Amino acid sequence: MAAQHTDWWKDAVVYQIYPRSFQDSNGDGIGDLNGITSRLDYIRGLGVDVIWLCPIYASPNDDNGYDISNYRAIHAELGTMADFERLLAEAHCRGLRILMDLVVNHTSDEHPWFQSSRKDPSGPYGDYYIWRPGRGEGPPNNWGSVFSGSAWEKDPGTGRFYLHLFSTKQPDLNWENPAVRREVFDIMGWWLDKGVDGFRMDVINLISKPEHMPDEPLAGEYGNGLLHCANGPKAHEYLREMNERVLSQYDCMTVGETPCVTVEDARLYAGFDRNELNMVFTFEHTGLADGPLGKWSLNKTPLPALKSVLSHWQTGLHGQAWNSLYWGNHDQPRAVSKFADDRPKYRALSAKMLATCLYFMQGTPYIYQGDELGMINAGFKKLEDYRDIETLNAHRELVGGGVVKHRLMMKYFARVSRDNARTPMQWDNTAHAGFTMGEPWIQAGGSYPQINAASQVEDENSVYQYYQRLLQFRREHGIVRDGSFELLLPEHPGLFAYQRRDPSGRLVVLCNFTAKRIRLPLGAFGEGRVALCNYGHGGGLKPCEALRPYEARALWEPTA
Ligand code: TEU
Ligand code: CA
């Protein structure tokens, strides 16, 4: 019987945890489930409602858990099933819900399904993956993997090729096969019956592959297969089946990670009347700094483009579908470094300004671990400091292939490598930032003596307490959830200004994205009182005449 669906996820704030880097509890240098359990009061104290756990399943760790070899077992390095059940129970008794990371576009090549598919093409698992004959000795087409190289790997035994949009150890599942869909739905039901509260779904809009897989125009050495696989012919059909067979039976929350998705696509994936997903992650704002080599670029994100994209998503979904709101995650560099200014003088102001800018929009906020402290990029100088397969493969392909010089590639990595967000959570200023008593699997970022939880939780001027006040305002003012959105001064090159309206009043948000003062047209923003300001509590501040460097102000004008 269908569960009584409440849309609690519209009021929720999600905190994303990358378990390997959050808290080590047994000194092996790897974050684990018991470490997370020991930090639940810190998380609850921030004022969030949901925890999204990046994958915790058994995995050979080729892509840090996004290559799953057993969906019903816990990764031995992270703990046991008993540890997970304790974490779930401890979270629930604190009013925290848990989302699992569902990675079902692909499995690990060490999953028994793939082992059998490879060995016994005509057996029960032969059609679980996407096998194609080569073209002569070469792969079936010119598609490249997101992690460098071809998107096809030849099986020496049979001479066939299998598709892997990501690493060679992440073969794509064949969702056309109803047996595959049944397996996935069973896995989802198994975790929901354990009491988890929903899923973040990894690259879920890639699951429907087109029948014909022609070459793509070359971008470097390969064509971009994602363009052909994103939002494929049966993506919505499969998600509606998933919703009908599983999701509709539980009061759960879903968010799809959907590269290449547009607002129009999002209305289909997350439309209130679509019975597919609750919301999706767009990549439109995080991709604005991309260059000719994709993410490997030193570009800053141009503010006019950022304003245009974020407001388009606000107005394009309002009343029809729900937004997710995120600046960063485990695949992105730290938000302060990417979108604002991580110099010592401006880093805390920037962290508070970015939170104000995004989390007063309509949608569910996703706070990535450490962003509530204003953590910044790692500052790694040596290739040996990096761990991420995407980074290391790119070095081998682009530097090894003579396309980019090593020194420039190291600058790209310092700016955009995923490892910038995967360094240990910065708990205090002791060795390894208090993350581990052992040797960490990846070094802590250089800023941990200055940026850490111990120095912020009790400090009323800290980023952490600013987040607390911001999330409290959200909880206490329905206008943030339901109000309309209107961009103000759209042409202004340094100011991100917008207003929210509903019968309860008007909320004006003003964010200076520059290190310069911005003079404001007096009176342009009404008589609202300063409800939040990153230059102090906001009390007693004169009405706006100018915004100071990276200043954020939220002006609240209740209806008389
Ligand atoms: O990411 C999908 C994805 O598109 C990312 O690879 C992203 O585009 C890229 O990393 C930007 O540099 C998901 C997971 O979030 C990521 O951690 C996994 O590596 C990937 O899928 C494969 O599962
Ligand atoms: Ca550990």
Side-chain angles (χ1 to χ4, degrees), residues 2 185 237-249 275-276:
F185 300 159
E237 180 186 322
Y238 296 153
L239 287 175
R240 271 201 294 282
E241 183 186 357
M242 176 193 283
N243 192 299
E244 189 193 329
R245 300 274 295 277
V246 186
L247 300 174
S248 59
Q249 313 304 315
N275 297 323
E276 292 186 24

Side-chain angles (χ1 to χ4, degrees), residues 331-352:
D331 293 333
Q332 295 294 330
R334 284 287 177 181
V336 168
S337 301
K338 179 178 170 86
F339 292 103
D341 194 328
D342 60 14
R343 289 176 294 179
K345 183 177 178 187
Y346 295 124
R347 57 182 55 159
L349 283 170
S350 291
K352 296 172 184 176

Side-chain angles (χ1 to χ4, degrees), residues 10-11 66 138 151 190 206 236 254 290 292 331 342 351 377 450 485:
K10 286 184 179 174
D11 297 296
Y66 282 90
W190 193 82
L206 303 184
H236 297 293
T254 55
D290 286 3
D331 293 333
D342 60 14
N377 276 355
Q450 296 80 33
F485 176 95

